[in-house]
Amino acid sequence: MSNSKINMKSWLVSRSRYLAVVVLALCSSAQVAVAENAKPQANAIASAHYLATEAGMEVFAAGGNAFDAAVAVSSTLAVVEPASSGLGGGGLWLLHRAQDNFDVMIDGREMAPGAADRNMYLGADGEVNRDLAVNGPLAAGIPGEAAGFVHLARHYGRLPLAESLAPAIRLAKNGFPVDEKYRALMTNRAAVVNRYPAASAIFLVDGQVPPLGHVIKQPDLARVLESIATHGHDGFYTGPIAQKLVAGVREAGGIWTLDDLARYKVVEREPVRTSYKGYKLVTASPPSSGGIALATMLNILNPYPLSTMTEAERTHLVIESMRRAYRDRTLYLGDSDFVDVPIQRLTHPFYADGLRAGIRHDRATPSEMLPGIESEPGGTDTSHFSLIDTEGNMVAGTLTVNLPYGSGFVAPGMGFFLNNEMDDFSAKKGSPNAYGLLGAEANAIVPYKRPLSSMTPTIVHGDDQVAILGTPGGSRIITMVLLGILEFVDGKPPQDWVSRPRYHHQYMPDQVTYEPGTFDAETLATLESMGHEVKDRGRTWGNMHGVRWNVLTGEVDAASDPRWTSGRSMVEVP
Ligand code: GLY
């Protein structure tokens, strides 16, 4: 399922267009301008679920553009991948509009409710009550995904919202089959889901994880999607849906109000921009930490000839860049509407020069020598898709409910899990002052603030090729995107970005974790001799989906992460 699927008609058309470009290149001095402006020959989508990719293609076939397809893919993921995203969660959609080269990040991140308090998860002992922080409605921020759909369709799409939501509504009514991923992730969350009858009735069978192939129908979710299709933003954030949602949340111990829902808005944000070895990156801005940390790592790595180094030398330098970027994440980053995030400084090449100067080529820098604080790793379940249309419009979308199946809570009659994104705030006792450090303050809980995310939807523009990529994976998202970009810059295809073995360092704990088989014995021994603590995590992580556009030929290819078989990439000439 993970390889690009090109139907025969598409393949023939795409080959003949490719040949035409090559012939032009050989025959005409004007070819450079023609070739350099070659539009994508095909629409391409890579997402975490084949039904979502097919939904996007259906909307392309109906005349939709990339932004309509993004609504179709996102809303279908909300139906068929409830572990990872949904109407009860949020997302960041990074858009590139071809006609005017306009880039924007649509921030549909969740927002703390008005009654939220920085100590709301502390128990009588003054410690964070982990159960309250991640399970049930108190763990949920005000969702942004529905607002994102409406905004995308109204401001960027070509089709009516109802048309882009149609595949998701159909699948919610008709059902989707349970797959291995659903089962694997539900195994760890079923006990919590069983606490809430409205959740277990839909997503479990007699209180158990459903068998493979069991069809899950979601008529309540279909009704909510129809309300959004008919009434737009108000169909979710005011009126009967909002009233029922808030009543269900409060009945179960949550603190949401109708005013919280009514005041939710998506925010259009200027993306973070940086460059690396001649490539221009457009990536996520706060309330995500992703783009800033990515820029820091790439700025540190920029002067190094990584591709000519040994595996151990290269890995050492990449780890040191991760260590420093994640230290800054803990210290400085939060919702930039509430705290002063020094974006310009942190993403400036001169700043990276200073960080690089402290890196020894033969020794790991102990993290404790870099002042900072230990950060909680972010949630692990999220979804990503990448897509492009034949006009050159692009979307990198990362969507989340935080932990698998979010908070495990479904309000009666709503049909979707609420997120537990409040756990992406820093919730420690007395934060920030007990530690006297800015990290806790920058990401402390404040009413209406958005929790710090690691989501890193990214578009990389080169003179010859463009990449669209991203992945779920909590705090590991940013290092996965870094590793994917390094593959792309080395000229490798999307299949390599999404499948390459992964390693990760996040400052604290001071440890390099890696997927089984990532390093050979010699590389591991060299890293250890440099002072790195290396640890086989014993399992894989992430679910990356990427699209590449060759701007010289117009060719497009795409790939979905082989770690989960439900993903699907498709490339189709319209
Ligand atoms: N909840 C995962 C993230 O936003 O990074």
Side-chain angles (χ1 to χ4, degrees):
M1 292 294 206
S2 62
N3 285 330
S4 303
K5 177 186 142 193
I6 306 181
N7 66 36
M8 187 52 77
K9 173 174 158 261
S10 308
W11 186 83
L12 287 171
V13 176
S14 105
R15 295 300 294 177
S16 56
R17 290 190 188 178
Y18 174 68
L19 284 175
V21 172
V22 171
V23 169
L24 269 174
L26 293 173
C27 299
S28 164
S29 60
Q31 59 81 23
V32 175
V34 172
E36 282 181 356
N37 291 307
K39 289 281 188 203
Q41 294 168 350
N43 300 311
I45 304 173
S47 90
H49 201 288
Y50 65 95
L51 290 169
T53 298
E54 288 172 8
M57 284 298 176
E58 181 181 325
V59 162
F60 275 139
N65 63 15
F67 312 118
D68 299 307
V71 174
V73 173
S74 306
S75 56
T76 301
L77 287 171
V79 174
V80 302
E81 208 198 16
S84 306
S85 70
L87 290 184
L92 304 177
W93 293 266
L94 183 67
L95 315 185
H96 173 81
R97 188 171 59 199
Q99 68 188 34
D100 53 358
N101 271 324
F102 174 70
D103 300 307
V104 68
M105 186 181 86
I106 308 301
D107 169 5
R109 181 74 168 156
E110 297 88 339
M111 175 186 88
D117 176 88
R118 68 170 57 203
N119 295 326
M120 64 191 279
Y121 298 113
L122 301 186
D125 60 356
E127 295 301 320
V128 174
N129 179 330
R130 294 298 306 157
D131 188 57
L132 277 186
V134 297
N135 298 323
L138 198 62
I142 305 301
E145 182 147 314
F149 297 165
V150 176
H151 190 89
L152 277 165
R154 180 173 300 158
H155 297 280
Y156 298 96
R158 187 176 291 150
L159 299 179
L161 176 61
E163 211 167 327
S164 300
L165 291 179
I169 294 170
R170 190 178 64 230
L171 282 159
K173 286 180 179 165
N174 296 346
F176 74 95
V178 165
D179 60 18
E180 282 170 14
K181 183 178 181 195
Y182 185 104
R183 283 178 50 78
L185 297 177
M186 186 57 95
T187 299
N188 290 327
R189 296 295 282 158
V192 174
V193 172
N194 261 319
R195 292 182 194 172
Y196 306 108
S200 59
I202 303 167
F203 297 103
L204 299 176
V205 175
D206 297 329
Q208 305 293 317
V209 178
L212 268 184
H214 171 77
V215 174
I216 293 190
K217 296 187 178 179
Q218 301 171 84
D220 289 343
L221 177 56
R223 272 191 293 278
V224 178
L225 284 164
E226 282 172 337
S227 174
I228 298 165
T230 306
H231 303 293
H233 188 96
D234 289 347
F236 187 88
Y237 292 93
T238 63
I241 298 287
Q243 283 158 12
K244 196 160 186 173
L245 181 53
V246 169
V249 164
R250 295 186 75 86
E251 175 76 13
I255 55 173
W256 292 9
T257 64
L258 282 171
D259 180 60
D260 291 334
L261 282 176
R263 69 161 64 210
Y264 187 86
K265 289 189 174 45
V266 296
V267 182
E268 291 213 348
R269 300 199 187 270
E270 170 65 17
V272 165
R273 296 173 194 274
T274 190
S275 58
Y276 178 71
K277 295 193 193 297
Y279 287 88
K280 292 187 172 17
L281 282 91
V282 184
T283 183
S285 46
S288 179
S289 58
I292 293 174
L294 184 63
T296 302
M297 295 187 288
L298 289 169
N299 282 337
I300 289 173
L301 295 172
N302 198 28
Y304 296 128
L306 293 182
S307 51
T308 63
M309 292 177 165
T310 66
E311 177 76 2
E313 287 169 338
R314 178 169 55 244
T315 305
H316 166 66
L317 293 172
V318 173
I319 292 165
E320 291 305 316
S321 76
M322 292 173 175
R323 184 196 309 281
R324 285 157 175 79
Y326 275 75
R327 183 204 79 125
D328 284 357
R329 181 191 194 278
T330 71
L331 279 178
Y332 301 116
L333 301 190
D335 181 347
S336 53
D337 288 345
F338 284 74
V339 292
D340 190 14
V341 179
I343 300 178
Q344 300 301 329
R345 174 161 68 86
L346 296 175
T347 59
H348 199 286
F350 288 175
Y351 178 72
D353 291 346
L355 296 179
R356 193 185 316 106
I359 296 176
R360 277 182 59 166
H361 285 236
D362 60 339
R363 293 297 300 166
T365 309
S367 287
E368 65 186 16
M369 289 182 63
L370 303 174
I373 55 167
E374 187 163 349
S375 65
E376 294 284 327
T380 54
D381 220 69
T382 297
S383 196
H384 177 84
F385 66 90
S386 298
L387 61 83
I388 192 167
D389 68 20
T390 52
E391 293 166 38
N393 299 310
M394 300 178 241
V395 182
T398 311
L399 316 165
T400 185
V401 287
N402 202 26
L403 294 182
Y405 303 98
S407 64
F409 173 77
V410 171
M414 294 291 102
F416 53 84
F417 286 106
L418 296 191
N419 68 83
N420 54 5
E421 223 71 57
M422 292 294 286
D423 196 45
D424 274 351
F425 281 117
S426 174
K428 287 186 179 172
K429 182 184 179 186
S431 65
N433 294 336
Y435 300 90
L437 294 160
L438 291 170
E441 180 61 42
N443 192 31
I445 300 172
V446 175
Y448 312 123
K449 190 176 173 185
R450 299 179 186 212
L452 186 63
S453 173
S454 296
M455 294 189 287
T456 316
T458 299
I459 300 175
V460 189
H461 299 263
D463 292 338
D464 52 350
Q465 53 177 349
V466 170
I468 312 166
L469 75 165
T471 180
S475 60
R476 291 162 191 271
I477 289 174
I478 315 169
T479 55
M480 285 187 264
V481 172
L482 171 72
L483 295 176
I485 289 170
L486 295 179
E487 296 289 309
F488 166 70
V489 168
D490 271 355
K492 311 255 182 68
Q495 193 63 45
D496 289 22
W497 324 340
V498 303
S499 60
R500 70 143 293 146
R502 292 170 178 147
Y503 58 93
H504 173 77
H505 193 292
Q506 61 176 46
Y507 170 63
M508 293 285 188
D510 190 352
Q511 189 177 68
V512 184
T513 49
Y514 60 92
E515 293 182 325
T518 299
F519 300 119
D520 59 26
E522 187 185 336
T523 302
L524 279 175
T526 308
L527 290 171
E528 283 179 319
S529 73
M530 290 171 153
H532 293 288
E533 182 189 331
V534 288
K535 184 171 175 210
D536 185 339
R537 196 163 183 238
R539 64 177 184 84
T540 61
W541 62 82
N543 193 7
M544 181 174 282
H545 303 278
V547 169
R548 180 176 65 170
W549 165 30
N550 183 325
V551 299
L552 302 180
T553 66
E555 283 184 305
V556 172
D557 55 352
S560 283
D561 200 314
R563 290 166 181 79
W564 294 103
T565 54
S566 49
R568 167 78 63 86
S569 62
M570 292 176 79
V571 178
E572 285 197 352
V573 176

